[in-house]
Amino acid sequence: MRHNAPTPVISTHPVVLPTPERGQDLHVRVSAPATGHNLPVIVLSHGFGQSLHGYAPLVDHWAARGFAVVQPTHLDSRTLDVPPDDPRHPEIWRFRVTDLTTALDRLDVLEAAVPGLAGRLDRDRIAVAGHSWGAQTASTLLGARVLDADGRPGEDLSDPRVKAGVLLAVPGTGGDDLTPFAAEHFPFMSPDFTAMTTPALVVAGDADQSALTVRGPGWFTDAHTRGPGAKSLLTLFGAEHSLGGVAGYAVAETTDENPDRVALVRHLTWAFLRSALHPANTDWATASAELAASTNPLGRIESR
């Protein structure tokens, strides 16, 4: 199978995982190429309000080129309409993390739900990805921890099954970096990246002006600058929070629609995960060199 050439994709949804402790069963979408074996797995955490139906520009590309992509629907999804006074809200960020680990715990069920997928997943090559709030959710499985009210790192929720990650527009540190609104309404938005040792690609837009921080676009690079170990940062020139439209085709919340930018993001994230999960693979090195050699680049890469 040529991993750089698209193949037909099979997608099944919803696969329902009973989760009584969550208050609602977990609905998951699974997409995978129709052919090929030893498929690495990406568990994708959506941004606020999205669902298993989102992020088609990324999912279509990844699945058509050799990945099985798992998309749980978190409790904050607009499709569930959980009211603001729901008692689960203060811990909804934890439910998000548990949704990802539940999907990993039940890969057998997810695999069996997709016709022809049984026996084709590579459970030794698992990655997480996320956008916005979903990126913070994914980062906890990579080793990031949420600081408590006293500034102490909370519970370690990292998952040893996860070997790499992609964090798209991931929120930065809390405390004085937050606006008063964010500090009041999102106290969990206080990550500590100093133990996030798992290899990761951070993708940030240099025009991402968020109402959650007083620092400007640089806030979205904290996971790279403060996270130890093998990290890469893709800075997209002129990109806002939607990074050109990664959340879906023509979605209303896209403020910086740019198909070329989305094409770059999906190609580079695919190449990064291919090489991170297969150390002998050179797709990331090749893609990085191509971007650096471009006469009119859409972004730049910094790696260590």
Side-chain angles (χ1 to χ4, degrees):
M1 176 179 180
R2 293 176 57 202
H3 288 281
N4 61 343
T7 61
V9 171
I10 298 174
S11 185
T12 299
H13 70 89
V15 183
V16 180
L17 302 179
T19 50
E21 68 286 351
R22 186 176 180 265
Q24 287 170 271
D25 289 339
L26 181 63
H27 286 203
V28 183
R29 183 187 194 110
V30 184
S31 304
T35 59
H37 292 83
N38 298 319
L39 304 176
V41 177
I42 302 173
V43 182
L44 175 61
S45 180
H46 63 72
F48 178 77
Q50 283 280 348
S51 71
L52 58 77
H53 300 291
Y55 298 92
L58 299 179
V59 175
D60 292 349
H61 188 87
W62 294 341
R65 290 163 177 79
F67 284 93
V69 185
V70 174
Q71 297 176 263
T73 292
H74 299 304
L75 288 173
D76 59 272
S77 172
R78 288 186 291 269
T79 64
L80 300 181
D81 198 25
V82 175
D85 60 352
D86 188 284
R88 292 169 292 181
H89 258 285
E91 294 294 309
I92 204 165
W93 70 271
R94 287 183 176 271
F95 283 108
R96 279 177 144 267
V97 176
T98 302
D99 290 346
L100 303 189
T101 57
T102 296
L104 290 178
D105 291 342
R106 303 187 192 177
L107 273 181
D108 287 345
V109 176
L110 299 177
E111 183 182 52
V114 181
L117 187 58
R120 296 171 55 213
L121 298 184
D122 186 343
R123 286 166 171 74
D124 292 325
R125 291 185 169 90
I126 294 175
V128 292
H131 174 240
S132 192
W133 193 7
Q136 180 176 345
T137 304
S139 75
T140 60
L141 271 68
L142 302 175
R145 298 167 73 171
V146 175
L147 299 177
D148 63 21
D150 296 322
R152 295 172 300 196
E155 182 182 359
D156 179 5
L157 300 173
S158 61
D159 194 311
R161 293 172 293 187
V162 176
K163 303 302 192 295
V166 168
L167 306 177
L168 304 158
V170 58
T173 55
D176 293 339
D177 290 342
L178 299 180
T179 60
F181 173 84
E184 178 183 354
H185 293 89
F186 307 112
F188 57 83
M189 196 169 287
S190 188
D192 175 15
F193 297 113
T194 58
M196 195 181 75
T197 57
T198 307
L201 170 63
V202 177
V203 182
D206 68 3
D208 191 350
Q209 298 285 351
S210 173
L212 300 177
T213 181
V214 298
R215 281 181 43 206
W219 188 58
F220 293 98
T221 67
D222 285 351
H224 173 258
T225 58
R226 304 184 185 215
K231 298 290 184 294
S232 293
L233 172 65
L234 168 60
T235 301
L236 297 170
F237 304 148
E240 299 177 10
H241 201 61
S242 298
L243 305 177
V246 297
Y249 299 110
V251 295
E253 56 260 47
T254 298
T255 57
D256 62 334
E257 186 174 4
N258 187 316
D260 290 338
R261 186 178 294 144
V262 173
L264 179 68
V265 170
R266 65 188 188 184
H267 174 62
L268 288 175
T269 53
W270 169 84
F272 176 83
L273 290 177
R274 281 276 297 153
S275 296
L277 297 175
H278 299 83
N281 179 276
T282 61
D283 286 322
W284 174 241
T286 299
S288 298
E290 289 173 348
L291 180 62
S294 174
T295 57
N296 188 26
L298 296 177
R300 67 174 180 272
I301 293 172
E302 304 165 54
S303 296
R304 65 170 190 273

Coordinates of all heavy atoms in Angstrom, one line a residue, residues 42-74:
I42 N -5.2 7.0 15.1 CA -5.3 8.4 15.6 C -6.6 8.6 16.4 O -7.7 8.3 15.8 CB -5.2 9.5 14.5 CG1 -3.9 9.3 13.7 CG2 -5.3 10.9 15.1 CD1 -3.9 10.2 12.5
V43 N -6.6 9.0 17.6 CA -7.8 9.3 18.4 C -7.9 10.8 18.4 O -7.0 11.5 18.9 CB -7.8 8.8 19.8 CG1 -9.1 9.1 20.5 CG2 -7.5 7.3 19.8
L44 N -8.9 11.4 17.8 CA -9.1 12.8 17.5 C -10.1 13.4 18.5 O -11.3 13.0 18.5 CB -9.5 13.0 16.1 CG -9.8 14.5 15.7 CD1 -8.6 15.4 15.9 CD2 -10.3 14.5 14.2
S45 N -9.7 14.4 19.3 CA -10.5 15.1 20.2 C -11.0 16.5 19.5 O -10.2 17.3 19.2 CB -9.8 15.4 21.5 OG -10.6 16.1 22.4
H46 N -12.3 16.6 19.4 CA -12.8 17.8 18.7 C -12.8 19.0 19.6 O -12.7 18.9 20.9 CB -14.3 17.5 18.2 CG -15.3 17.3 19.3 ND1 -15.8 18.2 20.1 CD2 -15.9 16.1 19.6 CE1 -16.7 17.7 20.9 NE2 -16.8 16.4 20.7
G47 N -12.9 20.2 19.0 CA -13.0 21.4 19.8 C -14.4 21.6 20.4 O -15.3 20.9 20.1
F48 N -14.5 22.7 21.1 CA -15.8 23.0 21.8 C -17.0 23.0 20.9 O -16.9 23.7 19.8 CB -15.7 24.3 22.6 CG -17.0 24.7 23.3 CD1 -17.3 24.1 24.5 CD2 -17.8 25.7 22.7 CE1 -18.5 24.5 25.1 CE2 -19.0 26.0 23.3 CZ -19.4 25.4 24.5
G49 N -18.0 22.3 21.2 CA -19.3 22.3 20.4 C -19.3 21.4 19.2 O -20.3 21.1 18.7
Q50 N -18.1 20.9 18.8 CA -18.1 20.0 17.6 C -18.5 18.6 18.0 O -19.1 18.3 19.1 CB -16.6 20.0 17.0 CG -16.3 21.2 16.2 CD -16.9 21.2 14.8 OE1 -17.3 20.2 14.3 NE2 -16.8 22.3 14.2
S51 N -18.3 17.6 17.1 CA -18.8 16.2 17.3 C -18.0 15.3 16.5 O -17.0 15.7 15.8 CB -20.3 16.1 17.0 OG -20.5 16.2 15.6
L52 N -18.4 14.0 16.4 CA -17.8 13.0 15.6 C -18.0 13.3 14.1 O -17.3 12.7 13.3 CB -18.4 11.6 15.9 CG -19.9 11.4 15.8 CD1 -20.3 11.2 14.4 CD2 -20.2 10.1 16.6
H53 N -18.8 14.3 13.8 CA -19.0 14.7 12.4 C -18.0 15.7 11.9 O -18.0 16.0 10.7 CB -20.4 15.2 12.2 CG -21.5 14.2 12.6 ND1 -21.8 13.1 11.8 CD2 -22.4 14.2 13.6 CE1 -22.8 12.4 12.4 NE2 -23.2 13.1 13.5
G54 N -17.2 16.2 12.8 CA -16.3 17.3 12.4 C -15.0 16.9 11.9 O -14.6 15.7 11.8
Y55 N -14.2 17.9 11.4 CA -12.8 17.7 11.0 C -12.6 16.8 9.8 O -11.6 16.1 9.7 CB -12.0 17.3 12.2 CG -12.0 18.3 13.3 CD1 -13.0 18.2 14.3 CD2 -11.2 19.4 13.3 CE1 -13.1 19.2 15.3 CE2 -11.2 20.4 14.3 CZ -12.2 20.3 15.3 OH -12.3 21.2 16.2
A56 N -13.6 16.8 8.9 CA -13.5 16.0 7.7 C -12.3 16.3 6.9 O -11.6 15.3 6.3 CB -14.8 16.1 6.8
P57 N -11.8 17.5 6.7 CA -10.6 17.8 5.9 C -9.4 17.0 6.4 O -8.5 16.6 5.6 CB -10.4 19.3 6.0 CG -11.7 19.8 6.3 CD -12.4 18.8 7.2
L58 N -9.3 16.8 7.7 CA -8.2 16.1 8.3 C -8.4 14.6 8.3 O -7.6 13.8 7.9 CB -7.9 16.5 9.8 CG -7.6 18.0 10.0 CD1 -7.4 18.3 11.5 CD2 -6.3 18.4 9.3
V59 N -9.6 14.2 8.7 CA -9.9 12.8 8.8 C -9.9 12.1 7.5 O -9.3 11.0 7.3 CB -11.3 12.6 9.5 CG1 -11.7 11.1 9.5 CG2 -11.3 13.2 10.9
D60 N -10.5 12.8 6.5 CA -10.5 12.2 5.1 C -9.1 11.9 4.6 O -8.8 10.9 4.1 CB -11.2 13.1 4.2 CG -12.7 13.2 4.4 OD1 -13.2 12.4 5.2 OD2 -13.3 14.1 3.8
H61 N -8.2 12.9 4.9 CA -6.8 12.8 4.4 C -6.1 11.7 5.2 O -5.4 10.9 4.5 CB -6.1 14.2 4.6 CG -4.8 14.2 4.0 ND1 -4.6 14.6 2.7 CD2 -3.5 14.0 4.5 CE1 -3.3 14.6 2.4 NE2 -2.6 14.2 3.5
W62 N -6.1 11.7 6.5 CA -5.4 10.7 7.3 C -5.9 9.3 7.0 O -5.1 8.4 6.8 CB -5.6 11.0 8.7 CG -5.0 12.3 9.2 CD1 -4.0 13.0 8.7 CD2 -5.4 13.0 10.4 NE1 -3.8 14.1 9.4 CE2 -4.6 14.2 10.5 CE3 -6.3 12.8 11.5 CZ2 -4.7 15.0 11.6 CZ3 -6.4 13.7 12.5 CH2 -5.6 14.8 12.6
A63 N -7.2 9.1 6.9 CA -7.7 7.8 6.7 C -7.4 7.3 5.3 O -7.2 6.1 5.1 CB -9.2 7.7 7.0
A64 N -7.5 8.1 4.3 CA -7.2 7.7 2.9 C -5.7 7.4 2.7 O -5.4 6.8 1.7 CB -7.6 8.8 2.0
R65 N -4.9 7.7 3.7 CA -3.4 7.5 3.6 C -2.9 6.7 4.7 O -1.8 6.9 5.2 CB -2.7 8.9 3.4 CG -3.0 9.5 2.1 CD -2.7 11.0 2.1 NE -2.9 11.6 0.8 CZ -4.1 12.0 0.3 NH1 -5.2 11.8 1.1 NH2 -4.2 12.5 -0.9
G66 N -3.7 5.7 5.2 CA -3.1 4.7 6.0 C -3.4 4.7 7.5 O -2.9 3.8 8.2
F67 N -4.2 5.7 8.0 CA -4.5 5.7 9.4 C -6.0 5.3 9.7 O -6.8 5.6 8.9 CB -4.3 7.1 10.0 CG -2.9 7.5 10.2 CD1 -2.2 8.2 9.2 CD2 -2.3 7.2 11.4 CE1 -0.9 8.6 9.4 CE2 -0.9 7.6 11.6 CZ -0.2 8.3 10.6
A68 N -6.2 4.6 10.8 CA -7.5 4.5 11.3 C -7.8 5.6 12.3 O -7.0 5.9 13.2 CB -7.7 3.2 12.1
V69 N -8.9 6.4 12.1 CA -9.1 7.6 12.9 C -10.4 7.4 13.7 O -11.5 7.0 13.2 CB -9.3 8.8 12.0 CG1 -9.5 10.1 12.8 CG2 -8.2 9.0 11.0
V70 N -10.3 7.6 15.0 CA -11.3 7.4 16.0 C -11.8 8.7 16.5 O -10.9 9.5 17.0 CB -10.8 6.5 17.1 CG1 -11.9 6.4 18.2 CG2 -10.4 5.1 16.6
Q71 N -13.1 9.1 16.4 CA -13.6 10.4 16.8 C -14.7 10.2 17.8 O -15.9 10.0 17.5 CB -14.1 11.1 15.6 CG -13.1 11.5 14.6 CD -13.7 12.1 13.4 OE1 -14.0 11.4 12.4 NE2 -14.0 13.4 13.4
P72 N -14.4 10.4 19.1 CA -15.5 10.4 20.1 C -16.2 11.8 20.1 O -15.6 12.8 19.8 CB -14.8 10.1 21.4 CG -13.4 10.7 21.2 CD -13.1 10.5 19.7
T73 N -17.5 11.8 20.5 CA -18.3 13.0 20.7 C -18.3 13.3 22.2 O -18.8 12.5 23.0 CB -19.7 12.8 20.2 OG1 -19.7 12.7 18.8 CG2 -20.5 14.1 20.6
H74 N -17.7 14.5 22.6 CA -17.6 14.8 24.0 C -18.9 15.5 24.4 O -19.8 15.9 23.7 CB -16.4 15.8 24.2 CG -15.1 15.3 23.8 ND1 -14.6 14.2 24.4 CD2 -14.1 15.8 22.9 CE1 -13.4 13.9 23.9 NE2 -13.1 14.9 23.0

